[in-house]
PDB file of all heavy atoms in Angstrom:
ATOM      1  N   GLU A 668       2.996   5.911  -2.688  1.00  0.00           N
ATOM      2  CA  GLU A 668       4.161   6.693  -3.131  1.00  0.00           C
ATOM      3  C   GLU A 668       4.106   6.929  -4.636  1.00  0.00           C
ATOM      4  O   GLU A 668       4.433   8.013  -5.127  1.00  0.00           O
ATOM      5  CB  GLU A 668       5.453   5.977  -2.741  1.00  0.00           C
ATOM      6  CG  GLU A 668       5.740   5.996  -1.241  1.00  0.00           C
ATOM      7  CD  GLU A 668       6.994   5.227  -0.884  1.00  0.00           C
ATOM      8  OE1 GLU A 668       7.554   4.570  -1.808  1.00  0.00           O
ATOM      9  OE2 GLU A 668       7.413   5.292   0.278  1.00  0.00           O
ATOM     10  N   TYR A 677       2.423  14.998 -12.716  1.00  0.00           N
ATOM     11  CA  TYR A 677       1.354  15.657 -13.480  1.00  0.00           C
ATOM     12  C   TYR A 677       1.262  17.147 -13.129  1.00  0.00           C
ATOM     13  O   TYR A 677       1.044  17.992 -14.006  1.00  0.00           O
ATOM     14  CB  TYR A 677       0.014  14.976 -13.201  1.00  0.00           C
ATOM     15  CG  TYR A 677      -0.106  13.590 -13.798  1.00  0.00           C
ATOM     16  CD1 TYR A 677      -0.732  12.546 -13.092  1.00  0.00           C
ATOM     17  CD2 TYR A 677       0.419  13.304 -15.070  1.00  0.00           C
ATOM     18  CE1 TYR A 677      -0.842  11.270 -13.635  1.00  0.00           C
ATOM     19  CE2 TYR A 677       0.314  12.030 -15.614  1.00  0.00           C
ATOM     20  CZ  TYR A 677      -0.312  11.023 -14.898  1.00  0.00           C
ATOM     21  OH  TYR A 677      -0.418   9.769 -15.424  1.00  0.00           O
ATOM     22  N   LYS A 699       2.573  42.195 -29.885  1.00  0.00           N
ATOM     23  CA  LYS A 699       1.462  42.957 -30.451  1.00  0.00           C
ATOM     24  C   LYS A 699       1.513  44.418 -30.022  1.00  0.00           C
ATOM     25  O   LYS A 699       1.257  45.325 -30.823  1.00  0.00           O
ATOM     26  CB  LYS A 699       0.139  42.326 -29.998  1.00  0.00           C
ATOM     27  CG  LYS A 699      -1.064  42.811 -30.773  1.00  0.00           C
ATOM     28  CD  LYS A 699      -2.305  42.022 -30.401  1.00  0.00           C
ATOM     29  CE  LYS A 699      -3.498  42.486 -31.240  1.00  0.00           C
ATOM     30  NZ  LYS A 699      -4.718  41.708 -30.899  1.00  0.00           N
ATOM     31  N   THR A 725       3.934  75.109 -49.249  1.00  0.00           N
ATOM     32  CA  THR A 725       3.424  76.458 -48.954  1.00  0.00           C
ATOM     33  C   THR A 725       4.497  77.515 -49.183  1.00  0.00           C
ATOM     34  O   THR A 725       4.237  78.571 -49.771  1.00  0.00           O
ATOM     35  CB  THR A 725       2.921  76.533 -47.497  1.00  0.00           C
ATOM     36  OG1 THR A 725       1.920  75.548 -47.289  1.00  0.00           O
ATOM     37  CG2 THR A 725       2.351  77.908 -47.190  1.00  0.00           C
ATOM     38  N   THR A 757      16.811 112.420 -74.820  1.00  0.00           N
ATOM     39  CA  THR A 757      16.524 112.781 -76.207  1.00  0.00           C
ATOM     40  C   THR A 757      16.792 114.273 -76.418  1.00  0.00           C
ATOM     41  O   THR A 757      16.310 115.112 -75.648  1.00  0.00           O
ATOM     42  CB  THR A 757      15.053 112.473 -76.553  1.00  0.00           C
ATOM     43  OG1 THR A 757      14.785 111.095 -76.274  1.00  0.00           O
ATOM     44  CG2 THR A 757      14.780 112.751 -78.033  1.00  0.00           C
ATOM     45  N   LEU A 760      14.205 118.293 -76.531  1.00  0.00           N
ATOM     46  CA  LEU A 760      12.901 118.095 -75.899  1.00  0.00           C
ATOM     47  C   LEU A 760      12.317 119.436 -75.486  1.00  0.00           C
ATOM     48  O   LEU A 760      13.037 120.326 -75.008  1.00  0.00           O
ATOM     49  CB  LEU A 760      13.024 117.198 -74.661  1.00  0.00           C
ATOM     50  CG  LEU A 760      13.272 115.708 -74.881  1.00  0.00           C
ATOM     51  CD1 LEU A 760      13.492 115.015 -73.541  1.00  0.00           C
ATOM     52  CD2 LEU A 760      12.101 115.052 -75.620  1.00  0.00           C
ATOM     53  N   ILE A 765       9.339 117.377 -71.329  1.00  0.00           N
ATOM     54  CA  ILE A 765      10.122 117.053 -70.134  1.00  0.00           C
ATOM     55  C   ILE A 765       9.207 116.919 -68.919  1.00  0.00           C
ATOM     56  O   ILE A 765       9.350 115.993 -68.114  1.00  0.00           O
ATOM     57  CB  ILE A 765      11.202 118.135 -69.885  1.00  0.00           C
ATOM     58  CG1 ILE A 765      12.260 118.094 -70.988  1.00  0.00           C
ATOM     59  CG2 ILE A 765      11.859 117.926 -68.513  1.00  0.00           C
ATOM     60  CD1 ILE A 765      13.267 119.221 -70.917  1.00  0.00           C
ATOM     61  N   ALA A 777       5.824 105.946 -57.873  1.00  0.00           N
ATOM     62  CA  ALA A 777       4.915 105.899 -56.715  1.00  0.00           C
ATOM     63  C   ALA A 777       4.120 104.593 -56.704  1.00  0.00           C
ATOM     64  O   ALA A 777       3.930 103.969 -55.654  1.00  0.00           O
ATOM     65  CB  ALA A 777       3.971 107.099 -56.746  1.00  0.00           C
ATOM     66  N   ASP A 796       3.509  93.324 -36.479  1.00  0.00           N
ATOM     67  CA  ASP A 796       4.870  93.373 -35.934  1.00  0.00           C
ATOM     68  C   ASP A 796       5.020  94.479 -34.894  1.00  0.00           C
ATOM     69  O   ASP A 796       5.683  94.288 -33.869  1.00  0.00           O
ATOM     70  CB  ASP A 796       5.868  93.579 -37.083  1.00  0.00           C
ATOM     71  CG  ASP A 796       7.308  93.488 -36.621  1.00  0.00           C
ATOM     72  OD1 ASP A 796       7.620  92.544 -35.864  1.00  0.00           O
ATOM     73  OD2 ASP A 796       8.123  94.347 -37.000  1.00  0.00           O
ATOM     74  N   ALA A 802      -4.151  93.902 -32.890  1.00  0.00           N
ATOM     75  CA  ALA A 802      -4.186  94.968 -33.899  1.00  0.00           C
ATOM     76  C   ALA A 802      -4.058  94.389 -35.302  1.00  0.00           C
ATOM     77  O   ALA A 802      -4.707  94.859 -36.244  1.00  0.00           O
ATOM     78  CB  ALA A 802      -3.063  95.972 -33.637  1.00  0.00           C
ATOM     79  N   ASN A 812     -13.704  93.563 -44.518  1.00  0.00           N
ATOM     80  CA  ASN A 812     -14.962  94.315 -44.496  1.00  0.00           C
ATOM     81  C   ASN A 812     -15.023  95.348 -45.617  1.00  0.00           C
ATOM     82  O   ASN A 812     -16.097  95.618 -46.171  1.00  0.00           O
ATOM     83  CB  ASN A 812     -15.148  95.011 -43.146  1.00  0.00           C
ATOM     84  CG  ASN A 812     -15.641  94.063 -42.066  1.00  0.00           C
ATOM     85  OD1 ASN A 812     -16.345  93.101 -42.343  1.00  0.00           O
ATOM     86  ND2 ASN A 812     -15.267  94.328 -40.827  1.00  0.00           N
ATOM     87  N   LYS A 815     -16.675  94.659 -49.014  1.00  0.00           N
ATOM     88  CA  LYS A 815     -18.144  94.639 -49.100  1.00  0.00           C
ATOM     89  C   LYS A 815     -18.702  93.258 -49.446  1.00  0.00           C
ATOM     90  O   LYS A 815     -19.916  93.084 -49.571  1.00  0.00           O
ATOM     91  CB  LYS A 815     -18.655  95.655 -50.140  1.00  0.00           C
ATOM     92  CG  LYS A 815     -18.186  97.085 -49.925  1.00  0.00           C
ATOM     93  CD  LYS A 815     -18.634  97.643 -48.591  1.00  0.00           C
ATOM     94  CE  LYS A 815     -18.166  99.082 -48.405  1.00  0.00           C
ATOM     95  NZ  LYS A 815     -18.555  99.638 -47.100  1.00  0.00           N
ATOM     96  N   GLN A 818     -19.057  90.428 -44.080  1.00  0.00           N
ATOM     97  CA  GLN A 818     -19.054  91.197 -42.832  1.00  0.00           C
ATOM     98  C   GLN A 818     -18.346  90.373 -41.769  1.00  0.00           C
ATOM     99  O   GLN A 818     -18.755  89.260 -41.446  1.00  0.00           O
ATOM    100  CB  GLN A 818     -20.491  91.491 -42.381  1.00  0.00           C
ATOM    101  CG  GLN A 818     -20.574  92.191 -41.032  1.00  0.00           C
ATOM    102  CD  GLN A 818     -22.003  92.318 -40.537  1.00  0.00           C
ATOM    103  OE1 GLN A 818     -22.938  92.357 -41.325  1.00  0.00           O
ATOM    104  NE2 GLN A 818     -22.175  92.364 -39.224  1.00  0.00           N
ATOM    105  N   VAL A 825      -8.768  88.978 -24.759  1.00  0.00           N
ATOM    106  CA  VAL A 825      -7.485  88.448 -24.275  1.00  0.00           C
ATOM    107  C   VAL A 825      -6.412  89.531 -24.397  1.00  0.00           C
ATOM    108  O   VAL A 825      -6.384  90.288 -25.365  1.00  0.00           O
ATOM    109  CB  VAL A 825      -7.052  87.204 -25.093  1.00  0.00           C
ATOM    110  CG1 VAL A 825      -5.692  86.689 -24.611  1.00  0.00           C
ATOM    111  CG2 VAL A 825      -8.095  86.109 -24.986  1.00  0.00           C
ATOM    112  N   ASN A 828       0.486  88.242 -24.853  1.00  0.00           N
ATOM    113  CA  ASN A 828       1.838  88.503 -24.365  1.00  0.00           C
ATOM    114  C   ASN A 828       2.724  88.933 -25.531  1.00  0.00           C
ATOM    115  O   ASN A 828       2.870  88.201 -26.515  1.00  0.00           O
ATOM    116  CB  ASN A 828       2.406  87.227 -23.709  1.00  0.00           C
ATOM    117  CG  ASN A 828       3.684  87.511 -22.944  1.00  0.00           C
ATOM    118  OD1 ASN A 828       4.397  88.471 -23.222  1.00  0.00           O
ATOM    119  ND2 ASN A 828       3.978  86.673 -21.963  1.00  0.00           N
ATOM    120  N   GLN A 843      -6.056  83.976 -41.016  1.00  0.00           N
ATOM    121  CA  GLN A 843      -6.034  84.433 -42.409  1.00  0.00           C
ATOM    122  C   GLN A 843      -6.453  83.314 -43.358  1.00  0.00           C
ATOM    123  O   GLN A 843      -7.249  83.534 -44.288  1.00  0.00           O
ATOM    124  CB  GLN A 843      -4.617  84.923 -42.756  1.00  0.00           C
ATOM    125  CG  GLN A 843      -4.504  85.620 -44.100  1.00  0.00           C
ATOM    126  CD  GLN A 843      -3.086  86.121 -44.341  1.00  0.00           C
ATOM    127  OE1 GLN A 843      -2.113  85.401 -44.139  1.00  0.00           O
ATOM    128  NE2 GLN A 843      -2.967  87.372 -44.755  1.00  0.00           N
ATOM    129  N   LYS A 854     -18.005  80.944 -49.733  1.00  0.00           N
ATOM    130  CA  LYS A 854     -18.845  82.056 -50.182  1.00  0.00           C
ATOM    131  C   LYS A 854     -19.635  82.659 -49.013  1.00  0.00           C
ATOM    132  O   LYS A 854     -20.804  83.048 -49.154  1.00  0.00           O
ATOM    133  CB  LYS A 854     -19.817  81.603 -51.276  1.00  0.00           C
ATOM    134  CG  LYS A 854     -19.163  80.894 -52.458  1.00  0.00           C
ATOM    135  CD  LYS A 854     -18.138  81.768 -53.157  1.00  0.00           C
ATOM    136  CE  LYS A 854     -17.499  81.034 -54.329  1.00  0.00           C
ATOM    137  NZ  LYS A 854     -16.417  81.827 -54.972  1.00  0.00           N
ATOM    138  N   ILE A 858     -18.671  86.421 -41.052  1.00  0.00           N
ATOM    139  CA  ILE A 858     -17.638  85.685 -40.312  1.00  0.00           C
ATOM    140  C   ILE A 858     -17.580  86.250 -38.900  1.00  0.00           C
ATOM    141  O   ILE A 858     -17.604  87.475 -38.716  1.00  0.00           O
ATOM    142  CB  ILE A 858     -16.254  85.818 -40.984  1.00  0.00           C
ATOM    143  CG1 ILE A 858     -16.258  85.159 -42.368  1.00  0.00           C
ATOM    144  CG2 ILE A 858     -15.161  85.202 -40.111  1.00  0.00           C
ATOM    145  CD1 ILE A 858     -14.969  85.395 -43.158  1.00  0.00           C
ATOM    146  N   GLU A 864     -10.114  83.870 -22.876  1.00  0.00           N
ATOM    147  CA  GLU A 864      -9.212  83.050 -22.072  1.00  0.00           C
ATOM    148  C   GLU A 864     -10.020  82.292 -21.024  1.00  0.00           C
ATOM    149  O   GLU A 864     -10.756  82.886 -20.238  1.00  0.00           O
ATOM    150  CB  GLU A 864      -8.150  83.920 -21.400  1.00  0.00           C
ATOM    151  CG  GLU A 864      -7.057  83.109 -20.714  1.00  0.00           C
ATOM    152  CD  GLU A 864      -5.881  83.971 -20.264  1.00  0.00           C
ATOM    153  OE1 GLU A 864      -5.856  85.167 -20.621  1.00  0.00           O
ATOM    154  OE2 GLU A 864      -4.993  83.442 -19.579  1.00  0.00           O
ATOM    155  N   LYS A 886     -11.220  64.592 -48.536  1.00  0.00           N
ATOM    156  CA  LYS A 886     -10.468  65.570 -49.332  1.00  0.00           C
ATOM    157  C   LYS A 886     -10.417  66.941 -48.657  1.00  0.00           C
ATOM    158  O   LYS A 886      -9.492  67.720 -48.884  1.00  0.00           O
ATOM    159  CB  LYS A 886     -11.060  65.697 -50.730  1.00  0.00           C
ATOM    160  CG  LYS A 886     -12.391  66.424 -50.799  1.00  0.00           C
ATOM    161  CD  LYS A 886     -12.867  66.538 -52.238  1.00  0.00           C
ATOM    162  CE  LYS A 886     -14.169  67.327 -52.311  1.00  0.00           C
ATOM    163  NZ  LYS A 886     -14.661  67.463 -53.687  1.00  0.00           N
ATOM    164  N   GLN A 888      -9.950  67.338 -45.548  1.00  0.00           N
ATOM    165  CA  GLN A 888      -8.992  67.242 -44.451  1.00  0.00           C
ATOM    166  C   GLN A 888      -7.560  67.063 -44.935  1.00  0.00           C
ATOM    167  O   GLN A 888      -6.624  67.100 -44.142  1.00  0.00           O
ATOM    168  CB  GLN A 888      -9.369  66.071 -43.539  1.00  0.00           C
ATOM    169  CG  GLN A 888     -10.768  66.173 -42.946  1.00  0.00           C
ATOM    170  CD  GLN A 888     -11.131  64.973 -42.104  1.00  0.00           C
ATOM    171  OE1 GLN A 888     -10.277  64.330 -41.503  1.00  0.00           O
ATOM    172  NE2 GLN A 888     -12.416  64.650 -42.050  1.00  0.00           N
ATOM    173  N   GLY A 890      -6.275  68.756 -47.770  1.00  0.00           N
ATOM    174  CA  GLY A 890      -5.835  69.849 -48.623  1.00  0.00           C
ATOM    175  C   GLY A 890      -4.619  70.565 -48.060  1.00  0.00           C
ATOM    176  O   GLY A 890      -4.293  70.458 -46.872  1.00  0.00           O
ATOM    177  N   THR A 898      -0.025  72.208 -39.218  1.00  0.00           N
ATOM    178  CA  THR A 898       1.389  72.410 -38.913  1.00  0.00           C
ATOM    179  C   THR A 898       1.576  73.575 -37.949  1.00  0.00           C
ATOM    180  O   THR A 898       2.329  73.485 -36.975  1.00  0.00           O
ATOM    181  CB  THR A 898       2.179  72.683 -40.207  1.00  0.00           C
ATOM    182  OG1 THR A 898       2.030  71.576 -41.085  1.00  0.00           O
ATOM    183  CG2 THR A 898       3.669  72.868 -39.903  1.00  0.00           C
ATOM    184  N   PHE A 902       2.986  73.789 -33.972  1.00  0.00           N
ATOM    185  CA  PHE A 902       3.995  74.739 -33.484  1.00  0.00           C
ATOM    186  C   PHE A 902       3.505  75.445 -32.225  1.00  0.00           C
ATOM    187  O   PHE A 902       4.293  75.809 -31.352  1.00  0.00           O
ATOM    188  CB  PHE A 902       4.316  75.781 -34.563  1.00  0.00           C
ATOM    189  CG  PHE A 902       5.146  75.250 -35.703  1.00  0.00           C
ATOM    190  CD1 PHE A 902       4.993  75.741 -36.988  1.00  0.00           C
ATOM    191  CD2 PHE A 902       6.086  74.258 -35.487  1.00  0.00           C
ATOM    192  CE1 PHE A 902       5.754  75.254 -38.031  1.00  0.00           C
ATOM    193  CE2 PHE A 902       6.849  73.764 -36.527  1.00  0.00           C
ATOM    194  CZ  PHE A 902       6.688  74.264 -37.798  1.00  0.00           C
ATOM    195  N   ASP A 910     -16.291  71.822 -37.079  1.00  0.00           N
ATOM    196  CA  ASP A 910     -17.652  71.310 -37.081  1.00  0.00           C
ATOM    197  C   ASP A 910     -18.370  71.946 -38.271  1.00  0.00           C
ATOM    198  O   ASP A 910     -18.503  73.180 -38.342  1.00  0.00           O
ATOM    199  CB  ASP A 910     -18.368  71.668 -35.768  1.00  0.00           C
ATOM    200  CG  ASP A 910     -19.778  71.092 -35.720  1.00  0.00           C
ATOM    201  OD1 ASP A 910     -20.054  70.153 -36.481  1.00  0.00           O
ATOM    202  OD2 ASP A 910     -20.593  71.592 -34.919  1.00  0.00           O
TER     203      ASP A 910
END
Side-chain angles (χ1 to χ4, degrees):
E668 289 178 353
Y677 289 140
K699 194 173 182 179
T725 303
T757 304
L760 287 175
I765 292 173
D796 186 46
N812 281 330
K815 305 300 181 182
Q818 175 187 333
V825 178
N828 191 336
Q843 189 178 47
K854 307 301 180 184
I858 295 173
E864 189 170 352
K886 73 178 183 180
Q888 302 177 29
T898 301
F902 287 148
D910 182 20

